[in-house]
Amino acid sequence: MTEVKKQTLSPVVPFSLFSAKDIELFQAGTHAHLYEKFGAHAVEYEGVTGTYFSVWAPNAAYVSVIGAFNEWDHYRHTLYPRWDKSGIWEGFVPNVKQGTLYKYFIRSNSGEELQKGDPYANYWEVRPKTASVTWKLDYKWKDKKWMERRGKHNSLTSPYSVYEVHLGSWRRPDPSNHELFYTYKEIADRLVPYVKDMGFTHVELMPVMEHPFDGSWGYQGTGYYAPTSRYGSPQEFMAFVDAFHEAGIGVILDWVPSHFPYDAHGLFRFDGSHTYEYADMRKGFHPDWNSYIFNYGRNEVRSFLLSNAIFWLDKFHADGLRVDAVASMIHLSYSRPAGTWEPNEKGGPENLEAISFLKNMNETIYRLFPDVQTIAEESTSFYGVSRPTFMGGLGFGMKWMMGWMNDTLRYFKTDPLLRKWEQDRLTFSITYAFTENFMVPFSHDEVVHGKSPMLYKMPGDDWQKFANARLMYSYMFTHPGTKLLFMGDEFGQTSEWNFRSELDWFLLKHESHQGLQNFVKALNHLYTSRPALYEKQFEYYGFEWVIVSDYDNCILAYKRKGFEPKDDLLVVLNMTPVPRENYLVAMTEEGTWTEVLNSDDPQFFGSGVMNTSPVKTRKQFYNGKDYTLELRLPPLGAIILKKN
């Protein structure tokens, strides 16, 4: 019997996962699955198991893999440059197993020597350590039922109420120890039932992509293809998403294709040149965030970002991406004084390359994943952010309604005695509410950097603060558009958000905070159970003003409409602390209306001014209409009525 000798391989074997088509798509800026090619992949070659490494370093003169497997030796495992001048260095290294620490040693054409983490790594050391870790993304998903029906759940004609969460500070094992975190599983065990009980349809996670500095909240990332190891492994994050899906809750990931930090192990000057960022710092440096801007005009960078968006939807079953800082991407003049930015080729302030990238990204996402949503954080009046690309839009599913947020907060900060002079701030939003698919947000940005917690933005004594908060949330949940609320806002957090600690859960021992939390739960139930609040949430015909000019009493009233007239809801808001007895609302048709939610209900810490019985219209010509409805309006309160 002849003995088969085991083949002895060289330290690095010429090997490639790239086809000619891959290179063509990569260089055209349209490759959507680069994560299957770049990075570290476990493979078997000539009967030997090991890891295939590949990295894009077009300005490099020499690239090697260094790690725990070769004592971080710069010269033992040299990668091979591809013959096609693609700038890709690659090779198979025998016997490198899962869980091995590694980096790339790069000597640039100028002689500069760098040690870089893998841009496509799926796992990293816990900061402050900076090595990448070889890892497989194998996982047996249990969310088949969810994935089959999530198209309806994520539809633009379905309720979409989002709870925004920072995983490290929602809850902590020890609130005083900022180095100690719950694991993905421990967070899921607590967060999933809470979000379910509160009635939110989706959770949005502030960036979970690997980042070196906790204080960036994840918005300064270095590991675009890896969930942060602060809370566990990639598989544990997959199980985290799985747990939400099992509970019928969608998971949206905050994604940052706009800028990245200058950490030595990250993307900045990756091969000694401006590989990922614009070389012209008028376009390539972000003055607000002291970070660097992706070069959207370089096709290989476009492929990197496009593949990254697809990666999270594909490998982690994300139900959507909230795209951060879109305004900074599409405007060359963003946060730049005159003379410090260069106009585009047409003489305008738009970044045509970024606009082109976003259009292609959205087209690709909706082609491959038609049952997800992309949501733009975009604060300008740029045309068509959430309109299809064939109409000249950017192709996002939704856009944050930043103008609504600013006007609403300014109005509710105003003393109720002076609100009649500010009422147009609230009514103005309807003039443009249907120009985009808007999401109305109260995000983390509104409760940091000295802006005060949401509750303390409200004027008046403690009772009035809570009443104002319930009134404002009533307006939010009955305004056209989808909803987003940052963690802690739902129960009246009394300190600004602090990422180093946890939310002030102890406040829930107070009846006032319990009442606010129960009211947000009731609003979510109302929103998700009443078709009038979501079926036409992006259509003009889903909204009708009833009272818009009672400035002296600070009263607003409007209808929300679904496809069936029987589903109509009437919303009446009293913006002053004065209860209004026998208040007449002019109506166009007769009918009986029943109160379905009142923000002044005692169970919500209200004073109990309610309409306890159904109210019938009376034949009475008033304010140009043939009927009147006589209502009790609570102080600083909202009532929502359905037609019987």
Side-chain angles (χ1 to χ4, degrees):
M1 186 174 180
T2 305
E3 183 179 337
V4 178
K5 292 185 179 180
K6 191 172 183 180
Q7 175 135 1
T8 302
L9 300 177
S10 59
V12 181
V13 179
F15 181 85
S16 184
L17 291 179
F18 287 92
S19 67
K21 188 64 176 178
D22 287 323
I23 301 300
E24 179 186 339
L25 294 174
F26 174 49
Q27 294 180 328
T30 56
H31 203 309
H33 298 90
L34 285 177
Y35 49 90
E36 296 174 349
K37 310 293 178 178
F38 277 117
H41 296 274
V43 297
E44 181 178 310
Y45 179 79
E46 298 288 344
V48 178
T49 58
T51 301
Y52 163 75
F53 294 93
S54 60
V55 62
W56 180 56
N59 190 52
Y62 175 87
V63 178
S64 66
V65 184
I66 59 176
F69 62 94
N70 65 6
E71 300 175 319
W72 304 93
D73 190 306
H74 294 175
Y75 304 104
R76 204 179 299 178
H77 292 92
T78 305
L79 296 181
Y80 297 93
R82 282 184 64 90
W83 57 269
D84 52 17
K85 299 183 180 178
S86 60
I88 298 171
W89 298 71
E90 60 186 351
F92 170 75
V93 181
N95 304 316
V96 173
K97 299 177 180 178
Q98 172 164 300
T100 301
L101 301 180
Y102 73 101
K103 282 187 177 182
Y104 294 115
F105 171 74
I106 300 172
R107 183 181 295 119
S108 74
N109 284 323
S110 66
E112 183 179 1
E113 294 185 345
L114 304 154
Q115 292 188 20
K116 293 288 187 177
D118 188 345
Y120 291 85
N122 298 137
Y123 200 17
W124 293 69
E125 286 187 290
V126 179
R127 54 79 183 125
K129 296 180 180 179
T130 58
S132 304
V133 184
T134 58
W135 205 258
K136 294 180 184 177
L137 292 182
D138 51 327
Y139 177 77
K140 188 173 181 180
W141 287 91
K142 306 173 187 67
D143 62 352
K144 182 180 178 182
K145 288 184 179 178
W146 166 265
M147 296 296 282
E148 288 174 347
R149 58 182 168 81
R150 72 172 178 176
K152 185 177 188 313
H153 191 86
N154 292 330
S155 165
L156 294 177
T157 56
S158 296
Y160 209 97
S161 179
V162 181
Y163 187 57
E164 185 188 23
V165 177
H166 178 262
L167 289 182
S169 59
W170 185 71
R171 282 192 185 273
R172 282 183 182 268
D174 180 355
S176 62
N177 183 354
H178 69 273
E179 286 295 325
L180 196 60
F181 299 103
Y182 282 123
T183 65
Y184 285 118
K185 184 182 186 309
E186 290 169 335
I187 299 169
D189 288 344
R190 293 159 173 79
L191 184 58
V192 172
Y194 181 78
V195 173
K196 183 75 172 176
D197 180 60
M198 288 299 298
F200 291 97
T201 65
H202 293 74
V203 65
E204 179 180 307
L205 308 180
M206 292 171 67
V208 294
M209 299 76 186
E210 193 58 83
H211 52 284
F213 177 51
D214 290 11
S216 78
W217 313 333
Y219 291 98
Q220 301 270 17
T222 48
Y224 272 72
Y225 285 83
T228 177
S229 52
R230 287 168 176 79
Y231 319 118
S233 70
Q235 280 77 7
E236 288 170 317
F237 181 63
M238 291 170 175
F240 173 92
V241 175
D242 231 349
F244 274 100
H245 286 173
E246 185 179 355
I249 298 164
V251 179
I252 303 164
L253 302 182
D254 211 336
W255 184 57
V256 190
S258 48
H259 63 112
F260 56 87
Y262 53 84
D263 294 73
H265 66 287
L267 297 177
F268 177 60
R269 298 190 71 254
F270 186 78
D271 60 5
S273 67
H274 296 291
T275 316
Y276 286 90
E277 69 273 13
Y278 284 109
D280 184 345
M281 289 298 100
R282 292 174 297 179
K283 293 172 73 175
F285 180 74
H286 204 298
D288 284 0
W289 303 315
N290 198 27
S291 56
Y292 291 85
I293 300 169
F294 283 103
N295 182 350
Y296 308 107
R298 191 166 195 174
N299 284 343
E300 293 89 345
V301 174
R302 290 165 69 104
S303 286
F304 170 84
L305 290 172
L306 174 63
S307 293
N308 190 239
I310 298 301
F311 171 78
W312 293 102
L313 302 171
D314 177 17
K315 294 296 186 181
F316 291 89
H317 289 200
D319 299 288
L321 298 175
R322 178 266 190 186
V323 183
D324 181 61
V326 171
S328 75
M329 294 173 65
I330 62 178
H331 293 96
L332 296 168
S333 56
Y334 186 88
S335 279
R336 297 180 190 274
T340 63
W341 58 276
E342 186 77 9
N344 63 38
E345 61 193 35
K346 299 180 180 178
E350 300 84 13
N351 187 329
L352 301 178
E353 297 159 347
I355 291 169
S356 169
F357 164 72
L358 289 171
K359 287 182 177 182
N360 179 62
M361 179 200 77
N362 281 316
E363 288 172 354
T364 305
I365 286 174
Y366 283 112
R367 174 170 52 84
L368 297 176
F369 300 94
D371 52 357
V372 305
Q373 294 294 343
T374 58
I375 306 163
E377 186 215 11
E378 207 284 326
S379 54
T380 72
S381 57
F382 188 87
Y383 166 76
V385 172
S386 60
R387 292 292 177 256
T389 56
F390 65 79
M391 294 177 61
L394 293 183
F396 284 93
M398 287 177 253
K399 170 183 172 174
W400 274 21
M401 200 176 191
M402 307 294 281
W404 172 90
M405 180 269 299
N406 288 320
D407 287 341
T408 298
L409 289 179
R410 179 164 173 178
Y411 179 86
F412 277 93
K413 288 177 184 177
T414 303
D415 188 304
L417 294 176
L418 305 175
R419 282 179 178 171
K420 64 180 180 179
W421 309 112
E422 299 283 336
Q423 189 157 304
D424 288 345
R425 290 194 179 279
L426 284 194
T427 58
F428 176 63
S429 64
I430 297 301
T431 64
Y432 65 94
F434 308 104
T435 59
E436 299 273 6
N437 298 336
F438 279 118
M439 172 178 279
V440 291
F442 286 137
S443 75
H444 65 275
D445 282 328
E446 308 319 310
V447 292
V448 291
H449 302 322
K451 294 180 182 177
S452 89
M454 195 65 71
L455 185 66
Y456 285 174
K457 298 180 194 295
M458 305 294 108
D461 58 25
D462 269 2
W463 187 90
Q464 290 190 8
K465 287 184 188 301
F466 280 97
N468 268 302
R470 296 192 303 270
L471 175 58
M472 184 175 71
Y473 292 159
S474 301
Y475 170 62
M476 173 188 186
F477 273 80
T478 57
H479 190 282
T482 54
K483 327 296 172 189
L484 178 136
L485 196 63
F486 182 56
M487 64 180 198
D489 289 349
E490 78 276 14
F491 63 79
Q493 175 92 356
T494 55
S495 58
E496 283 197 344
W497 171 51
N498 177 9
F499 71 91
R500 293 184 181 88
S501 187
E502 69 170 14
L503 298 180
D504 297 336
W505 294 104
F506 61 86
L507 293 171
L508 286 170
K509 67 184 179 182
H510 301 292
E511 184 183 347
S512 53
H513 292 273
Q514 288 177 20
L516 181 58
Q517 185 189 50
N518 287 333
F519 185 64
V520 171
K521 187 188 301 185
L523 281 172
N524 269 323
H525 176 72
L526 181 82
Y527 174 51
T528 56
S529 64
R530 299 289 174 177
L533 292 177
Y534 59 79
E535 285 182 340
K536 296 181 179 179
Q537 58 193 345
F538 303 122
E539 295 183 37
Y540 176 80
Y541 299 104
F543 182 91
E544 178 189 326
W545 281 117
V546 176
I547 298 172
V548 73
S549 57
D550 188 357
Y551 294 92
D552 287 338
N553 291 316
C554 293
I555 306 292
L556 287 174
Y558 46 87
K559 283 184 182 178
R560 291 298 310 278
K561 301 178 176 183
F563 294 128
E564 299 292 335
K566 64 179 177 61
D567 293 331
D568 288 2
L569 294 178
L570 175 65
V571 182
V572 187
L573 310 175
N574 178 12
M575 306 295 191
T576 70
V578 180
R580 307 288 178 184
E581 298 286 347
N582 312 119
Y583 186 87
L584 294 183
V585 178
M587 306 291 286
T588 55
E589 73 285 325
E590 63 179 329
T592 302
W593 294 81
T594 301
E595 193 173 86
V596 293
L597 189 63
N598 186 320
S599 68
D600 200 46
D601 192 316
Q603 67 174 312
F604 307 133
F605 196 60
S607 63
V609 178
M610 303 174 69
N611 298 275
T612 53
S613 302
V615 183
K616 292 184 178 180
T617 56
R618 239 182 3 212
K619 180 73 173 175
Q620 179 184 4
F621 188 77
Y622 180 67
N623 279 354
K625 298 178 183 177
D626 293 331
Y627 298 91
T628 59
L629 197 63
E630 190 175 302
L631 298 171
R632 300 183 76 205
L633 303 187
L636 294 174
I639 61 172
I640 297 134
L641 306 102
K642 69 169 184 176
K643 193 173 183 180
N644 290 0

